[in-house]
Amino acid sequence: MIKSIDTQLRLEDLLADMHFARKHDQLGRLALLAYCEVKGWARWAGKLDVADTALRMFSENPCLSKEEFLTNIDKLIALLALHEHEYQRTNACYAMTQIQLQSASVGSLIGHISKP
């Protein structure tokens, strides 16, 4: 679970960097983030489809215009956002399970203590 939380936090940071660079039209920063950081995060997280998408943006289908590049970046950001929501749901379910287990343990302990 630690890796999952670490993966989620790294993804949140990456998305924040990408949103900032996109908002401020930092094309070089976006290219660096998409090619190096997204690809690296995706491989580390085991999301090979995302790594492949980032790689293909530059190797197989290089953009011919700024608008095309930004459209591809927007698609990549949307894809990463989907993965972020997946991590949030997974971690929320895990947290609820842990709370339920702790509540059951406390209830069981109280039951043993209150027995005469």
Side-chain angles (χ1 to χ4, degrees):
M1 190 62 197
I2 299 295
K3 182 178 180 190
S4 178
I5 292 171
D6 190 40
T7 303
Q8 179 183 349
L9 293 175
R10 289 177 63 184
L11 177 57
E12 288 173 1
D13 290 343
L14 180 56
L15 272 169
D17 286 345
M18 290 192 74
H19 281 293
F20 182 85
R22 177 66 176 94
K23 180 180 177 181
H24 295 284
D25 223 15
Q26 297 174 341
L27 301 180
R29 178 86 176 131
L30 285 169
L32 173 75
L33 289 169
Y35 188 74
C36 297
E37 300 297 325
V38 170
K39 195 172 62 166
W41 172 85
R43 287 181 177 163
W44 185 80
K47 306 293 183 184
L48 300 181
D49 59 322
V50 178
D52 189 53
T53 299
L55 176 64
R56 288 173 187 243
M57 275 182 64
F58 297 93
S59 63
E60 291 184 12
N61 302 316
C63 300
L64 299 176
S65 68
K66 175 183 174 182
E67 292 76 22
E68 183 183 359
F69 175 72
L70 290 176
T71 298
N72 288 342
I73 289 293
D74 290 339
K75 289 177 185 176
L76 187 58
I77 289 172
L79 179 60
L80 291 171
L82 288 175
H83 284 287
E84 179 186 30
H85 293 300
E86 174 188 321
Y87 280 110
Q88 289 172 347
R89 280 194 307 273
T90 301
N91 289 336
C93 289
Y94 177 78
M96 289 303 296
T97 302
Q98 293 301 311
I99 290 170
Q100 290 168 349
L101 289 173
Q102 289 173 354
S103 295
S105 296
V106 169
S108 175
L109 182 60
I110 291 173
H112 288 304
I113 293 172
S114 64
K115 288 184 181 178

